[in-house]
Amino acid sequence: MIKLQIGSPSVTIIDAHKYWNATGIYIEIGASYRFEVEGEQFWYDAGIRSNANGYTKLWLRWAEMFRRKPNENWFSLIGNIDQSSEQEFLIGKKLEKHQATSSGELFCYANDVPIMYFNNHGTLSLTITRLS
Ligand SMILES: [Ca+2]
């Protein structure tokens, strides 16, 4: 696994189709990180184009409660440590500073209903920089 050096960015590819994207990046408790999906990048939920901040649709409101993160947008980029339900955080297009509350591998995914990953496609390049 990659342990990031302060100020030296690492880029990882996040696939909308994958339930878990293992990044191979080791996050250390107490350290702070910056996350950014640079520029104009999109991924797709069936025919709906979205960036890492996700999207909302009135006609999908009934299904929002079934999302893996019910309170975050459809297709928002979510970070997770070691696939623990207690170690999840919204990344979106940019997360200026996130201090890790546990150590482990960073996993990512596009927020969706668990059984609805089959119609997802596209990838985003996520740049992660350790700040301290
Ligand atoms: Ca989907």
Side-chain angles (χ1 to χ4, degrees), residues 1-6 25-33 35 81-82 87 98-106 128 130-132:
M1 234 180 311
I2 303 165
K3 201 168 151 181
L4 299 181
Q5 301 302 309
I6 293 170
I25 292 171
Y26 184 76
I27 299 292
E28 259 187 284
I29 187 167
S32 292
Y33 298 86
F35 299 84
I81 306 299
D82 277 344
Q87 295 294 337
H98 173 77
Q99 188 172 26
T101 54
S102 81
S103 293
E105 184 174 6
L106 174 70
I128 306 165
R130 182 169 170 173
L131 302 174
S132 65

Side-chain angles (χ1 to χ4, degrees), residues 12-19 21 37 40-52 75 77 108-112 116-126:
T12 185
I13 305 298
I14 312 300
D15 187 339
H17 192 260
K18 288 186 182 167
Y19 190 87
N21 286 268
V37 177
E40 296 290 296
Q41 297 188 50
F42 301 98
W43 49 10
Y44 299 83
D45 191 0
I48 302 169
R49 189 177 83 155
S50 173
N51 65 24
F75 264 56
L77 174 58
C108 293
Y109 61 85
N111 192 29
D112 202 353
M116 292 304 289
Y117 279 76
F118 68 92
N119 64 0
N120 299 355
H121 63 108
T123 58
L124 301 178
S125 297
L126 173 65

Side-chain angles (χ1 to χ4, degrees), residues 90-104:
L90 173 67
I91 295 176
K93 262 178 76 70
K94 190 191 263 190
L95 178 54
E96 206 57 66
K97 189 177 183 181
H98 173 77
Q99 188 172 26
T101 54
S102 81
S103 293

